[in-house]
Amino acid sequence: MDDGLDDLFGDAPPMQLPDPLPKGLFQRVDELSLSGCCQKLVWSKHGCIAYVTSDGRNVGLQHLMCDPHDGNWRLGKDHVVQEVSLTHGDHEIVNLAWSHSGNDLAIIDISGQISIYNIYISINRLVISRRCVLDPEDNLSAVVGLMWLHNDRQSHFIKPAFKTEGHWNFSLSPMRLLGPRAPNHRPGLVVVTRNGTIKVFFQGQAGVQDTRWQDFKTEIENIASPSELLTHAAMCVEKIADNTCKDKDSPMLLTTYNNDRELRVYRVELDFERLRLSLQHLKVLNDCAPLDENKTSPLESYGFLPSHTQLSSLSFIPPAPQPRTRELSPPYILAAFSYLAEGFQDSSAHTPQYTALCRWELRNSTPKLHPSFHSLSSKKASASTNVDLPSQSLLTRLDDVLVPRTLLAVQEVNVSHTLAMIYSDGVEFREKVSLEVLPRDGKDRISSLGQTGFGFPSGGPCLHAALSPNACAGAFVDEQSIVSLSLMQLGDEFAGGLIDESFLEVANEAFAMQTSLASLSPGGHADDILASLETFSNQHFDKHIQGESLTSWNNSDTFKYRFLSDIYRILGLNVDHSMEPQPVPSISNPMIQRVLSMQAKLGFAGETRPPTVSALVALTMLNIRYTLIVFTTTMKGKQGGESELKNPETVRLLVELVSWLMALIGFIVDEIFTLGNFLEDQNLASKSIAANVLNQKIQETNSPAILLLLISSSRAILQYNCKPLKALMQQAKQAQQSPSPLGPAYRELDLVFHRSLVTVLQFERLLSLFDGNVQSEYQLSKTSEADRKTIEKDLLINCQIPEVLLEPVRELLGNTAESLRQEVNVAELYFTNVGWLGLTNDQNSKKWRKQHPLDAMRKVELRKDARARRCTRCCALMDDALPQRPSLMMNLQRTCFCGGSWAVLGEDEALNGGF
């Protein structure tokens, strides 16, 4: 009774109503209902975010990047593609679409004109590939549906991981999307226009290397009235198979929706040799709308009727593997009908909204003859039973799913069983077949990162949104046309910081599983996953861990170590090169590059803090791996029938790379001498030094030198570099008398070898002797192959000298170092400037690097007036001078040595690198 009186006299707390919807959302829903092609914010696989500017006439570019100042992930600076407004004139840009490779961007205006741009070296620089001057300009040519053709590249489907007997078991299945493909693995684009025309754009001809864009088209249906004009269209591949399937081409499926609410389904085959399309009409459904059973009393009070809804999204979901079986789900049509109550647009009250997700499943069925036919005469029966009846397509309506939110887009998450539903107020992950919200995984099962408690925080309302390739980051545009970044993070249930060891183990495995899957995809881009992982690590470690005895999960370094270790395990990568020589291709394996790049980034916290020893080891391994690839490619490859070693530009590049590598060799030898001097100063004999003393000294000096020799994979790369170095040294002596400008270039190269304080032969002898000692120690200790692989992996990631390898290290610091001291000038080696290597962090080195920014690929100082580009992951810099002609070196420098993408810096951005 008292509570009732309090409510009566206004003493009760005020009712919390949801924030009113932005007024721009009503306009956005109208746009979505008028055309199926109006995505104005898209995210490529390379990390480039393209969006339509607020005036609708240009396209802006942003990208996910590591900030060199603090090491945090954020969006880069805006870059506007000014050429778009010149190409499309005054026509409004209404749709953007990246190709599956992430290299090609289709830009479509309101009249249906299509221009195509390519990423050129840097992800925030686009060059036009196809102009739209020949495209018709009329409303009937407006594009209502679009699909980029898949290249012949494999994907991977990962099944849920289960924990058995303390170990996580993963299952990766290679999958290939079948369907029509453009000739010569070139990009291809299929669009559907409002007047019922399907057009195919492709680059090149079958069997001919040609970059010119061509097209062919056909009419889908004869449109006789305005009510038959199309508003939406969607396409998908019809089949999916594993890599053993020989059939790479198959038809694709097409569905259209018109003003009469008719839904039509077609099977489409493309013939690029004859430049023609063939269509097979499968089904037509009339009056497609949400079911009447969806009518509920709360919505009815606002005057809701199913006929009031508007189709805001039409998708054709391709078949996908089931998470628990190897069976494929059939393709189905997903139509989203949105409802915003009229009369609330100008009101500050809460606006009733909902989205009805309607589905139609497409199956093929072969009819069978009735059994009564078998009662006919034997002759007739025989004839009748041998008849092959044509298969039929069945379109089955599934139950609708009601969501009290406004849907903006539907995005498939790789080749998986997950759909990302992007609403105006957040992101939700649903199961692809049932459309149920993904349930939380238990402590013994992992399906995806989103099912372990991670998700996107609910922010302010947005009008446009796009998720990253791995759905771990999102870009959102609000009413003020401001693009913001949101990273996947722990949900509100963890706001109190109740994180125990079992959850950390599950989270670690989920991050490793999703990163491994991304690494197996073409390009292997996983920056969004790294950004989410580092955000989680920075926010929740050392302060939010519950319990006092979590010795195995006590800090972020342990979490990152286990993350990297699990990636090596899941991908099956072998980093043990101690006993048997590995071929160069195994060292140049792009998977190794991707994991080393992650290790380098996880130990980098910005220019104000020194990177960890583990990060420096990984960064140096990436550098010497790059020099090895450049040396071997240059000495073997030919461009235009002429060896690259006869190209003066290539030789000058080799001069700088050789100079950098010889300086690194000198740095390693000097650090060995320095560590030996430390032992003498401490009155510690090299024969009695303990591993913990060495490890503590390495951490104090933050020097990776001795670790680069001890880790078998880095030692192998250094050994492989010695062979081309000796060949180049011999080439330099022989080609000095070549005519200008080749002769001077080789004389400069010969001078680099002559001035080196440690020769290639001396260093090669050091590597060989140390390698033999390591092999002998492994054999004497009877270390098994499995244990040796574990030791080498832990050594690479954790950078701690193990007890089993202590004796070779003692020998290196003792007799080997003492013998080498007699052959080199120790004093001159000590005073050599090695700050430009990026491996020292004293004040002089930091000051020198700040005053002399280095081109990380060419190993030369950047010109003061140079425009540079920066790696979006490791923050390395490179001169943005564009090559005058194609070359092998240009192909090697399209990405950073760490595998990250380049982004051109603005004129007002400082030339500060990362490490």
Side-chain angles (χ1 to χ4, degrees):
M1 182 67 180
D2 293 338
D3 294 340
L5 290 175
D6 290 340
D7 293 344
L8 178 63
F9 291 101
D11 294 332
M15 183 183 300
Q16 297 295 326
L17 293 176
D19 294 332
L21 297 178
K23 293 183 179 180
L25 184 59
F26 294 90
Q27 179 182 352
R28 179 59 182 155
V29 172
D30 288 339
E31 290 178 354
L32 292 171
S33 65
L34 292 175
S35 173
C37 266
C38 56
Q39 292 299 316
K40 299 182 180 181
L41 177 68
V42 288
W43 197 319
S44 82
K45 285 189 176 181
H46 292 294
C48 181
I49 303 168
Y51 63 93
V52 178
T53 55
S54 56
D55 60 2
R57 298 294 186 269
N58 270 317
V59 171
L61 301 177
Q62 285 196 345
H63 56 278
L64 182 64
M65 57 162 282
C66 171
D67 193 321
H69 178 70
D70 56 14
N72 292 328
W73 293 88
R74 54 178 51 94
L75 291 180
K77 187 177 180 180
D78 286 319
H79 286 256
V80 178
V81 187
Q82 299 290 351
E83 190 177 359
V84 174
S85 59
L86 301 176
T87 303
H88 289 266
D90 294 331
H91 297 299
E92 178 186 358
I93 306 300
V94 296
N95 191 82
L96 305 174
W98 286 106
S99 63
H100 296 288
S101 65
N103 292 323
D104 310 280
L105 177 67
I107 300 177
I108 304 174
D109 62 33
I110 196 169
S111 64
Q113 293 185 314
I114 303 173
S115 63
I116 299 177
Y117 287 76
N118 304 126
I119 289 179
Y120 184 61
I121 300 179
S122 301
I123 60 174
N124 57 350
R125 175 170 50 213
L126 299 181
V127 295
I128 192 163
S129 172
R130 180 189 185 273
R131 300 185 182 274
C132 58
V133 291
L134 299 180
D135 295 341
E137 300 181 48
D138 60 83
N139 292 333
L140 295 181
S141 298
V143 178
V144 297
L146 174 149
M147 185 185 82
W148 281 96
L149 297 179
H150 289 267
N151 291 327
D152 187 19
R153 295 181 179 180
Q154 72 174 19
S155 300
H156 288 81
F157 173 77
I158 191 166
K159 294 183 179 180
F162 294 93
K163 187 177 182 181
T164 55
E165 299 181 355
H167 299 283
W168 290 95
N169 298 313
F170 297 86
S171 177
L172 283 169
S173 301
M175 304 298 294
R176 192 180 297 275
L177 292 173
L178 305 181
R181 309 181 189 281
N184 304 323
H185 304 286
R186 293 282 188 175
L189 180 68
V190 183
V191 301
V192 178
T193 63
R194 190 177 301 279
N195 60 1
T197 300
I198 179 170
K199 299 179 180 179
V200 180
F201 301 89
F202 67 101
Q203 204 172 19
Q205 302 179 20
V208 179
Q209 292 294 334
D210 189 1
T211 60
R212 292 175 299 176
W213 283 90
Q214 304 181 60
D215 63 90
F216 55 98
K217 62 183 179 179
T218 191
E219 301 293 329
I220 301 176
E221 293 284 348
N222 183 20
I223 294 179
S225 64
S227 62
E228 295 179 351
L229 291 175
L230 304 182
T231 61
H232 296 74
M235 291 160 277
C236 77
V237 297
E238 185 176 14
K239 297 179 181 179
I240 185 173
D242 57 24
N243 284 345
T244 61
C245 179
K246 297 181 179 180
D247 182 20
K248 297 180 180 180
D249 292 330
S250 67
M252 67 179 188
L253 298 173
L254 165 68
T255 181
T256 62
Y257 185 86
N258 62 20
N259 289 325
D260 263 348
R261 293 197 167 208
E262 283 185 344
L263 191 71
R264 296 177 178 269
V265 184
Y266 306 86
R267 179 177 289 113
V268 183
E269 294 190 36
L270 308 183
D271 187 343
F272 287 96
E273 293 185 358
R274 301 178 183 178
L275 301 184
R276 67 181 185 183
L277 299 96
S278 60
L279 283 81
Q280 179 186 1
H281 189 278
L282 301 180
K283 283 292 179 180
V284 58
L285 296 177
N286 298 316
D287 196 21
C288 292
L291 299 172
D292 291 334
E293 300 89 271
N294 297 327
K295 188 175 178 181
T296 58
S297 54
L299 291 173
E300 187 177 5
S301 63
Y302 296 109
F304 161 75
L305 289 173
S307 59
H308 290 174
T309 60
Q310 306 175 80
L311 178 67
S312 57
S313 174
L314 183 64
S315 305
F316 217 140
I317 307 301
Q322 296 292 334
R324 294 180 177 85
T325 65
R326 296 185 62 87
E327 296 182 358
L328 299 178
S329 62
Y332 70 90
I333 300 169
L334 175 60
F337 292 86
S338 297
Y339 174 77
L340 291 174
E342 298 179 2
F344 287 82
Q345 298 188 28
D346 300 324
S347 171
S348 60
H350 174 57
T351 305
Q353 58 171 325
Y354 91 102
T355 298
L357 302 176
C358 306
R359 296 168 294 160
W360 290 268
E361 186 179 80
L362 181 65
R363 291 182 179 270
N364 292 326
S365 175
T366 302
K368 297 182 180 179
L369 291 174
H370 194 274
S372 61
F373 280 91
H374 294 286
S375 62
L376 299 176
S377 65
S378 59
K379 182 176 181 180
K380 293 182 179 180
S382 176
S384 62
T385 54
N386 291 331
V387 173
D388 292 330
L389 298 179
S391 62
Q392 297 178 352
S393 297
L394 303 178
L395 203 58
T396 306
R397 179 75 181 256
L398 305 178
D399 293 336
D400 292 356
V401 178
L402 292 182
V403 183
R405 308 165 80 176
T406 302
L407 183 72
L408 297 180
V410 177
Q411 183 170 326
E412 295 182 59
V413 182
N414 296 322
V415 182
S416 69
H417 64 285
T418 305
L419 287 179
M421 316 300 289
I422 305 175
Y423 304 103
S424 61
D425 59 349
V427 180
E428 184 179 60
F429 295 98
R430 291 179 175 264
E431 204 277 326
K432 181 178 287 188
V433 177
S434 66
L435 284 188
E436 296 178 353
V437 177
L438 292 180
R440 282 288 302 275
D441 286 328
K443 296 182 179 180
D444 297 328
R445 170 191 166 99
I446 301 174
S447 301
S448 65
L449 191 60
Q451 291 177 252
T452 58
F454 288 82
F456 290 94
S458 56
C462 68
L463 302 181
H464 306 273
L467 299 185
S468 60
N470 302 298
C472 287
F476 303 89
V477 176
D478 57 16
E479 278 195 293
Q480 284 71 42
S481 299
I482 298 176
V483 182
S484 60
L485 173 69
S486 178
L487 298 174
M488 184 178 280
Q489 54 190 268
L490 283 183
D492 296 336
E493 59 188 293
F494 297 95
L498 299 178
I499 303 176
D500 57 15
E501 184 174 4
S502 61
F503 174 79
L504 291 177
E505 181 183 358
V506 171
N508 176 79
E509 295 292 335
F511 273 115
M513 183 175 72
Q514 194 146 346
T515 305
S516 301
L517 183 62
S519 299
L520 289 170
S521 63
H525 299 282
D527 285 354
D528 54 336
I529 307 177
L530 278 179
S532 180
L533 183 145
E534 290 192 272
T535 301
F536 165 74
S537 176
N538 295 336
Q539 292 179 351
H540 294 278
F541 273 99
D542 300 330
K543 57 181 179 179
H544 284 171
I545 299 180
Q546 186 182 31
E548 298 179 355
S549 59
L550 301 181
T551 56
S552 58
W553 296 95
N554 56 356
N555 55 53
S556 60
D557 291 337
T558 303
F559 187 84
K560 294 173 182 177
Y561 161 76
R562 292 204 171 193
F563 165 74
L564 293 169
S565 180
D566 286 337
I567 292 178
Y568 279 110
R569 173 176 56 85
I570 296 172
L571 295 178
L573 296 177
N574 177 29
V575 293
D576 177 24
H577 299 245
S578 57
M579 302 302 292
E580 299 179 359
Q582 301 292 325
V584 174
S586 68
I587 295 178
S588 58
N589 184 352
M591 295 298 173
I592 296 291
Q593 179 196 34
R594 292 165 189 174
V595 184
L596 286 175
S597 179
M598 296 175 199
Q599 179 174 331
K601 174 61 191 78
L602 291 176
F604 173 67
E607 59 186 2
T608 57
R609 296 174 57 186
T612 63
V613 177
S614 177
L616 290 175
V617 167
L619 186 77
T620 308
M621 289 180 63
L622 288 167
N623 269 292
I624 59 179
R625 174 187 176 275
Y626 165 70
T627 60
L628 175 61
I629 294 175
V630 171
F631 291 156
T632 54
T633 303
T634 303
M635 299 179 73
K636 292 181 180 180
K638 293 184 178 181
Q639 183 70 28
E642 185 177 84
S643 172
E644 284 288 328
L645 291 178
K646 295 183 179 180
N647 182 359
E649 295 181 8
T650 302
V651 176
R652 291 192 185 96
L653 174 63
L654 293 177
V655 168
E656 306 301 338
L657 291 180
V658 169
S659 178
W660 179 90
L661 189 54
M662 297 306 297
L664 175 66
I665 290 174
F667 167 77
I668 293 174
V669 172
D670 179 63
E671 287 293 299
I672 294 175
F673 293 159
T674 302
L675 190 55
N677 294 336
F678 163 77
L679 299 181
E680 292 181 3
D681 295 340
Q682 300 296 320
N683 294 321
L684 296 173
S686 60
K687 294 295 183 181
S688 61
I689 187 67
N692 62 332
V693 176
L694 285 174
N695 287 324
Q696 182 179 356
K697 183 61 178 178
I698 291 173
Q699 295 299 322
E700 289 176 358
T701 59
N702 209 44
S703 173
I706 194 170
L707 294 169
L708 293 172
L709 298 182
L710 189 59
I711 298 170
S712 63
S713 50
S714 63
R715 186 170 68 250
I717 301 176
L718 287 170
Q719 287 176 314
Y720 278 120
N721 268 286
C722 289
K723 183 177 180 180
L725 282 177
K726 291 187 295 184
L728 288 173
M729 184 166 55
Q730 186 67 24
Q731 178 76 11
K733 292 180 179 179
Q734 296 176 354
Q736 292 187 43
Q737 304 304 321
S738 300
S740 182
L742 191 60
Y746 274 112
R747 285 194 290 273
E748 188 176 354
L749 179 60
D750 182 65
L751 189 61
V752 171
F753 286 112
H754 181 72
R755 290 177 175 177
S756 299
L757 298 177
V758 180
T759 67
V760 179
L761 295 178
Q762 290 170 337
F763 188 67
E764 187 179 35
R765 187 174 67 248
L766 171 69
L767 290 174
S768 178
L769 183 61
F770 185 69
D771 192 57
N773 292 336
V774 170
Q775 292 182 18
S776 298
E777 191 62 30
Y778 273 134
Q779 292 171 348
L780 290 173
S781 62
K782 297 182 179 180
T783 305
S784 66
E785 182 179 358
D787 290 341
R788 192 179 67 243
K789 290 183 177 180
T790 302
I791 291 172
E792 289 291 339
K793 183 178 70 172
D794 291 345
L795 177 59
L796 172 60
I797 302 173
N798 206 28
C799 294
Q800 296 284 324
I801 299 176
E803 289 289 341
V804 69
L805 296 181
L806 185 57
E807 190 58 36
V809 174
R810 289 171 176 169
E811 182 68 19
L812 174 67
L813 298 178
N815 296 332
T816 305
E818 187 61 30
S819 175
L820 190 58
R821 283 176 185 269
Q822 310 303 320
E823 303 178 20
V824 300
N825 189 332
V826 179
E828 188 175 356
L829 191 65
Y830 177 80
F831 287 105
T832 301
N833 175 27
V834 292
W836 67 300
L837 294 176
L839 302 178
T840 52
N841 209 55
D842 56 276
Q843 292 300 323
N844 290 333
S845 296
K846 291 192 292 186
K847 182 179 179 181
W848 191 94
R849 289 196 295 269
K850 188 173 182 179
Q851 296 176 348
H852 306 85
L854 187 73
D855 186 318
M857 303 298 285
R858 299 185 178 96
K859 308 302 181 186
V860 295
E861 184 178 345
L862 287 172
R863 295 175 289 112
K864 293 183 178 181
D865 58 342
R867 189 177 184 184
R869 48 181 179 255
R870 175 183 285 131
C871 175
T872 58
R873 185 180 303 161
C874 75
C875 304
L877 296 173
M878 180 182 178
D879 196 321
D880 193 43
L882 300 179
Q884 300 297 321
R885 66 178 183 88
S887 65
L888 291 174
M889 302 311 303
M890 184 188 74
N891 293 331
L892 291 174
Q893 297 172 354
R894 285 187 177 274
T895 59
C896 178
F897 63 85
C898 77
S901 300
W902 295 114
V904 178
L905 296 180
E907 295 181 357
D908 56 342
E909 293 185 81
L911 295 180
N912 53 330
F915 288 80

